[in-house]
Amino acid sequence: MAELTRFYENFQPAHYDVYLDIDRKNKLISGKTTIVGDALTANFSLHQKYLKVSAVQAEGVDVPFTVDDEADALHIELPEADEVTLAITYTAPLTDSMMGIYPSYYEVNGEKKQIIGTQFETNFARQAFPCVDEPEAKATFDLAIKYDEHEGETTISNMPEKKVENGVHYFESTVRMSTYLVAFAFGELQSKLTTTNSGVKIGVFGTKAHKANELDFALDIAKRSIEFYEDFYHTPYPLPHSWQLALPDFSAGAMENWGLVTYREAYLLLDPDNTALDTKQLVATVIAHELAHQWFGDLVTMKWWDDLWLNESFANMMEYVAVDALEPDWHIWEMFQTEEAASALQRDATDGVQSVHVQVNNPAEIDALFDGAIVYAKGARMLVMVRALLGDDVLRAGLKNYFASHKYTNATGADLWAALGDASDLDVGAIMNSWLEQPGYPVVNAKIEDGHLKLSQQQFFIGEGQEVGRQWQIPLSANYEVAPQIMADKALDLGDYRQLRDANGVPFRLNVGNNSHFIVKYDETLLNDIFAHLTDLDAISQLQLLQDLRLLAEGRQISYAEVVPLLVKFADSKSNVVNAALYQVANNLRKFVEPDSAEEKALQAFFDHLSHNQVARLGWTSKAGESNDDQLTRPYVLNASLYAKNETAIKSAHDLFVANKDHLETLSADTRVFILRNEVKNYGSADLFDQLLAAHRQSSDASYKADICAALTSTPDPDLVQKLVAKFEDAETIKPQDLRAWFRGLLANDKGQQAAWDWIRNDWQWLEDTVGGDMEFTTYITVTAGIFHTPQRLAEFKAFFEPKLNTPGLTREIKMDTKVIESRVDLIEAEKDAVHEAVANSLNK
Ligand SMILES: [Zn+2]
């Protein structure tokens, strides 16, 4: 793979005229790109990939060029370095790769249709037109698009359409922007439009396979998000419109193209009358995330991909800030705690993880940078720490200056710290660098030694980790004033414990609010003190206790056997976040038991013990006016009850299925997945399998389709397992964008695991050809490692993936995931007897 040379050093484009003629029928793109720019050397290069270049002219005269596919380059020779107007004529294939310009497929009333859309991040603009495809190479763009158009099609882009002449759609010139944010789409689209109070046009676009009211939720959230950000950033939205487009085939979750944001259908469109609250919350945060980028990322862009975290961490924090303002009753920061905090703490504990800020040495590594748990979740936690330190007024003042100084250009992390530092008189960079440049995070040990309350920090690992003496500047957020705001030292002595305890009157606690990226290991006295006052703690603090105990147990600093009896204390909590944390720990116990063993039966009884009061309280159907907490808790406890094989639960689910069997999609979206899965597992048949698979093909409701996926992959029937695997490569049944969920579902099913594992090993090449080169590709390895927990699977995993260690972009993931499985296998071996005993003892009480 080629080394990274920055083409921008030798050629600086100012303006592009991009003309594209797209022939869907013959899958061919014919293009002519005119670029006005400054050639700083006579010999320079533009990016291209898969382009067949027929001519390059400078000032209307043919000049020599060579195409270098190895380096994604088009090398051009001018007589001399100069400002120049280049014209490049080429053709390119229209491929189904979900990168560059690509078709999305769907059906309306059995008729096959397609929409053409684009995905240029990270570096796929070069597959559409020759360019300097680097974030720093900002320029203005005039797009002109022609295609084999028919009646009733709509064409949209970053900017409004200017005119249509001879079938060519001309768009207004863009503002100065990066290539990876250019976008357009066309096809038979429906839309809903509105306008913000400042006059920005807002639109939601989707295929006509959807009901019109599926666009409403997104339109409302998009409009209010733009209004919120204009106010919060003190900076107007810079373009005339903000379009949101749902594409049937989409690799990532969504993409913040400036003025034309693209989404997976599941993350934009929803049935307003039957969608679970957590799905609505997820969709709202995705929209708010992309719209946060319209300023942070699009208006001001990272200089190079090593600062990708700057875009993503920031947008990942702002999605919660915005949605909290738009829908205060949702308490959306609770979702931050159950989702982002949990994933960051888990992933960041494995030795070998990347730091938030990371060097990019190789083009293939750019896509591997998108480690969601680190670049998004951990980075967002870092910025939440900054926000807590600065306060919103200072943060907003700093951001206003940051946008004013860097708009339409690029910036680095240091520029952001400088702007926030100026607004606050705090050396923000000094505090943040220990978190951004180092991988991992600390466990703070709090203990009483010689009568004194002492703290010390040490890097926390799950699995084997090399202690290299890393230290962090930790915002302690202690509830005793004697503790400093920032712990920069390795160890601290806070003084006489008895005196401190008497003076403060409450148990000693650290990281109150769970906003700093560290965990706490309290000694026995301190932990018992906290548990003795458990009911005084708010929900986030209870979640945090469970979260830290779980991580300490995963890291073998305490035993899972000690955690088991504590779970019962939380079982009747009415808080959704406490139940989320509780069942995360409980579900972690499932790896200690073999399927259908006596130990599993005991564990199932334990799950029943944990959940039965709540199932009785909440039931299977939501009650009018019930709290958000109750709505969000119900799925956890029903899931637990079904795992427990509670006969009443199994029968209730079956009765609901039977009563609704002719209109399953109208089952309440909160509980539908459990009803369908229960039916497939306990009352399944080939007919039911076919019925659900057909429903999956026909439905346009993404959450119903996800429920069917979860149900079908849980089948215990070996023939149906084979039938399912045979559909994995049939794009008309399972779209490549959705395949990972099907693979994961089957792999997690004891009765399907072997078939799923055989499939991925046998057809790895097919998978690589279909979704390789895509930023989501490595997650097939991640989800596999998330499930395997036996020595046999570990050996097979190594045998299969170790020979692929040198594949660019896969190296880190294979190394980390091998460690993840190894540490789990070791943990189970060491602790399973003690865990079984603890479960048995909890039942005897
Ligand atoms: Zn993003």
Side-chain angles (χ1 to χ4, degrees), residues 454-560:
K454 293 183 178 176
L455 307 181
S456 60
Q457 60 162 300
Q458 192 173 25
Q459 185 169 1
F460 176 71
F461 294 110
I462 295 175
E464 226 163 84
Q466 205 185 349
E467 177 55 57
V468 292
R470 291 195 177 102
Q471 242 168 270
W472 286 265
Q473 297 204 24
I474 306 172
L476 284 176
S477 303
N479 64 341
Y480 287 10
E481 244 174 46
V482 65
Q485 191 187 15
I486 303 277
M487 174 173 171
D489 297 320
K490 180 109 183 102
L492 275 180
D493 185 338
L494 298 181
D496 185 89
Y497 172 65
R498 277 291 17 131
Q499 280 179 15
L500 287 168
R501 179 65 178 85
D502 290 343
N504 285 281
V506 290
F508 176 67
R509 290 178 53 236
L510 291 169
N511 202 7
V512 174
N514 203 34
N515 285 325
S516 298
H517 191 54
F518 71 96
I519 60 171
V520 191
K521 184 182 178 188
Y522 298 100
D523 75 3
E524 208 187 332
T525 310
L526 294 169
L527 189 65
N528 286 343
D529 194 16
I530 293 170
F531 267 97
H533 299 83
L534 192 61
T535 48
D536 298 344
L537 295 184
D538 62 17
I540 296 291
S541 301
Q542 294 194 22
L543 159 139
Q544 182 183 26
L545 258 185
L546 285 162
Q547 157 205 285
D548 287 10
L549 290 169
R550 171 177 59 81
L551 289 160
L552 291 167
E554 291 285 313
R556 311 272 298 271
Q557 297 211 13
I558 61 173
S559 167
Y560 258 112

Side-chain angles (χ1 to χ4, degrees), residues 256 289-290 293 312 315 376:
E256 69 265 24
H289 175 107
E290 302 311 325
H293 274 314
E312 296 307 345
Y376 291 68

Side-chain angles (χ1 to χ4, degrees), residues 156-203:
I156 51 178
S157 184
N158 307 84
M159 295 294 287
E161 190 174 85
K162 192 164 60 179
K163 60 176 180 182
V164 187
E165 244 172 44
N166 303 322
V168 184
H169 296 257
Y170 293 89
F171 292 89
E172 286 178 18
S173 300
T174 69
V175 294
R176 204 165 173 270
M177 62 188 282
S178 304
T179 47
Y180 80 92
L181 296 168
V182 173
F184 63 85
F186 53 81
E188 290 176 16
L189 299 170
Q190 62 171 321
S191 63
K192 288 218 175 162
L193 306 176
T194 185
T195 308
T196 66
N197 52 25
S198 66
V200 179
K201 285 201 179 108
I202 305 292

